[in-house]
Amino acid sequence: MSRRPPRGEYIETDTGNKVARKATLVGTQNIMLGGKTVIMPEAMIRGDLVRTLQPSPSSSGAPPNNTAVAIGRYCFLSRGCCLRPPGRLYKGLFTYMPLRLGDHVFVGPGSVVQAATVGNYVHIGAKVAIGEFAIIKDYVRILDDTVVPPNMVIPSFSIVAGQPARVIGEVPEGGHEAFELRELYKTVGNNPQPAPV
Amino acid sequence: MAPPFTPYTFIQCPCSDSSTFNRRSPPSTPTTHHFHSDNDDNDDDDDEHPFDPRAPRSNYSLFPLEYLLYCEDCHQIRCPRCVAEEIVTYYCPSCLFEVPSSNLKSEGNRCTRSCFQCPVCIGPLSVTSLESHPDPNLIPAPDNTSAAPHGGPYILICSHCAWSSTEVGIQFDKPNSIHAQLAKLRNGGNPRMTAKERKERRKDLAQSLGSSYSAASGSGYPSHFADELDLDLDLETQFSNLKLFYQSQLANANPGGGASGGSASGSGGAFGDLGFTSPTSLSRILNIYTSTSSQDKKAKSRIGTMREALDRDEGLKIANLDESEAIAKLHAEDHAGTVSTSQLLNQTPQLHLGEPHLHGRSRFASELRPIPYLLRTKRSKRCPICRHIISKPEAKVLTTRFRIRLVAGSYIPSITIRPLSLPNASTPDPSALRPSKPAQFVLTFKNPIFEPVKITLATPALTPGRFPSKVTVLCPQFDIDANTDVWDEALKDGDKRRKKGESMDSATGGNNGGQHQHQPAAGKIWERGRNWVSIVVEVVPASLRKPMPVVLKEDEDLLEIPMFVRIEWETDAMGDEVGAVLGKDRDLPKLKRELAYWCVLGLGRVSDQ
Ligand SMILES: [Zn+2]
Ligand SMILES: [Zn+2]
Ligand SMILES: [Zn+2]
Ligand SMILES: [Zn+2]
């Protein structure tokens, strides 16, 4: 045992995901990672909350889609955040529905996301609560401590804050590049690179 | 505890200086460049334009780089305050449906589908079936993906604070077109007439009452009809009645005006010719109420033949001053039953829907109405000087692409600030600013364009304000390499170029003694990379207690440095764009360009000890 190199803090997968050993991934078979995603220690993904009602079991012979949480590329899940599929009564029966994150989604420390979909280039601050079935479009910035009510739709280029959340501003034209997470990806892992200038 | 301070850079838009704003920046031809390369004359510019970031006007001209656009024709920065905006698309921020601009005039600027905000907390309202538990045997029909599969009636319910439309006595028969259904419902569930229905009803009433109605002024209706109509005399109807009435009064007061063009030139005869809608006519009507001077006597006596509205049909609305009912309700319902100012402000004046009159409106929570979502827009932006479009989003609501997006960040260097922490320094918190204790900050300039640029900086030696801090830019002039392709850079070993302590003067550049001897020094760059350069700024914060303890005004402890930045670069004569292709024919004459602006560096707050 002692001859082995010391285990890194992160498991780095073939597709470039960096998953902290201290992250809690429940039901990993139902969690899809697009690649180059960072999952920090103490982050949690509830892949076990898979949908119990399939949309159309009879229409095709395809196996049922059991994805509970789908995450795109270059997402960053900070320490202590939680991704949790939303659930509701569907024709009298309770079922979970999949939670989908696009590319370049940053989830801040201590935030809980129960959205239906989060688009591309979304920054979710620290200690944010995103209610069930919320829909967050692309290029959205959610400031710290925001509470996004269930079912709320947040259109693209919104800056959102408050409890309940309200749109407090518009992402300016020059602010699009700041959502890019490629550089942040390089700064964590077993061989972290210094942040570029 | 206050959140940690994040240093910032705000840039001043040229529109704040009206003396130069309307002048295009000088055309950059090889003959007309007029800057000096001397080190010594930097101060000339800031003497001409003293800039105080604390001046009240500065609030309106300083922006973070992301908020600035750039006009490629004027070669100048443009800010949200000076660009001309044009609306490309209107859409509902909740259902994301586009609203044709033709609908806006008739339907107003709110979503007319089923998108509402909670009148209590502004959270989104969802349509839910009141039917609590549907028969579980009816479930298996999974292909039906409707969110509200149950039967009616339906209500609006807030997903944040659980307010529901049942609290104001409103429920709906259908789960869709809530806006149209709500327009026909009063709080409590009684039907409410739309403006059109009211007009027709009024006509019917008038006919049933016979011809005597029109002659009698005001008292023509039997009292029970009058009450009902009074309740229904909404703002829109009242306004149109008043307008009609005054139009007829003007026509009577000035019978000949319409025909003769000659009298229209006189002061009294303008009405008929210009018509009621002209601003001149309106100002004359206002004049009836405001003018006291004797020179208008003639006009006044003419206008004096006009009378005021006397009945409902002419737009008269008697204010209901009897508030005993409201007072009794207040006694019964207490403070909790009333609405807050912000809730009241969020309520929409639904004029086109036949909103009841303002008197005594919406003081109680039971009078609140769901708020239809205000539409949002996608807008393109034009340069205010040359009218070229500098930002234009795609019209479709669901796309985030832009056809044109000339952001300042692609043309002028970004400036980032961090406190300098030397490895051998003993200060525990380098970002803390203490009075009279020198502090050093690293400014990093990153060049976004494909040409090398020369940067010249100037700051006042002392910051403006009651508590001047000393400022020294250790290296006020330096060059930054071009923003070359990252792959080009990788091929020629970029790390070699990232060297520390590089001197401006190569003769004195003998600083090879390793990392620990790397000290900030005058005239020397701190660090250099592919397309960036760091320099050091030293500040000696002022004491906030000198000469005697004073009461600090807001943000007087904030250490802000005004800095004048001048960028000079050369570009190909052919390609007018800054990003001209590298390695083009070198025989082409190069154009010298320059851009200069003020910015302010926010370094931190000076502590009071
Ligand atoms: Zn401007
Ligand atoms: Zn809508
Ligand atoms: Zn609410
Ligand atoms: Zn222009």
Side-chain angles (χ1 to χ4, degrees), chain B residues 91-97 99 110-116 373 375:
Chain B
Y91 66 97
C92 167
S94 186
C95 63
L96 304 179
F97 266 78
V99 179
R110 291 180 183 262
C111 181
T112 54
R113 294 159 61 85
S114 299
C115 309
F116 287 90
Y373 266 93
L375 300 180

Side-chain angles (χ1 to χ4, degrees), chain B residues 13-16 21 63 68 77-83 384:
Chain B
C13 177
C15 68
S16 59
F21 180 49
F63 292 92
L68 297 173
I77 297 168
R78 301 293 177 225
C79 77
R81 272 177 65 83
C82 61
V83 294

Side-chain angles (χ1 to χ4, degrees), chain B residues 118 120-123 125 158-163:
Chain B
C118 173
V120 172
C121 78
I122 66 110
L125 296 177
C158 174
S159 52
H160 186 73
C161 74
W163 179 89

Side-chain angles (χ1 to χ4, degrees), chain A residues 54-55 57 90-93 137-139 147 149-153 155-159 163-167 170 172-177 197, chain B residues 66-67 69 91 93-94 96 121-124 126 139 141-145 149 159-160 376-377 379 381 391 398 400 402 405 407 444 446 532:
Chain A
Q54 288 300 322
Y90 185 74
K91 304 188 184 203
L93 286 185
K137 307 302 280 187
D138 303 343
Y139 294 101
V147 175
N151 305 312
M152 184 170 180
V153 178
S156 293
F157 303 114
S158 301
I159 301 173
Q163 303 164 352
R166 63 169 80 203
V167 176
E170 209 167 38
E173 284 93 334
H176 300 185
E177 286 73 20
V197 172
Chain B
E66 311 89 82
Y67 284 78
L69 298 170
Y91 66 97
S94 186
L96 304 179
C121 78
I122 66 110
S126 323
I139 295 155
D143 47 305
N144 180 5
T145 51
S159 52
H160 186 73
R376 213 171 132 169
T377 56
R379 301 175 310 282
K381 286 154 195 182
S391 168
L398 291 177
T400 53
F402 277 70
R405 190 170 67 96
V407 298
T444 303
K446 194 172 183 180
W532 57 269

Side-chain angles (χ1 to χ4, degrees), chain B residues 414-447:
Chain B
S414 62
I415 307 173
T416 47
I417 306 166
R418 66 183 158 90
L420 172 62
S421 50
L422 290 170
N424 53 354
S426 56
T427 34
D429 180 10
S431 63
L433 290 168
R434 292 176 205 292
S436 310
K437 191 171 182 307
Q440 289 167 329
F441 290 84
V442 177
L443 305 188
T444 303
F445 293 74
K446 194 172 183 180
N447 175 20

Side-chain angles (χ1 to χ4, degrees), chain B residues 71 73-74 78 383 385-388:
Chain B
C71 178
D73 294 272
C74 304
R78 301 293 177 225
C383 171
I385 304 298
C386 70
R387 308 297 294 172
H388 280 96

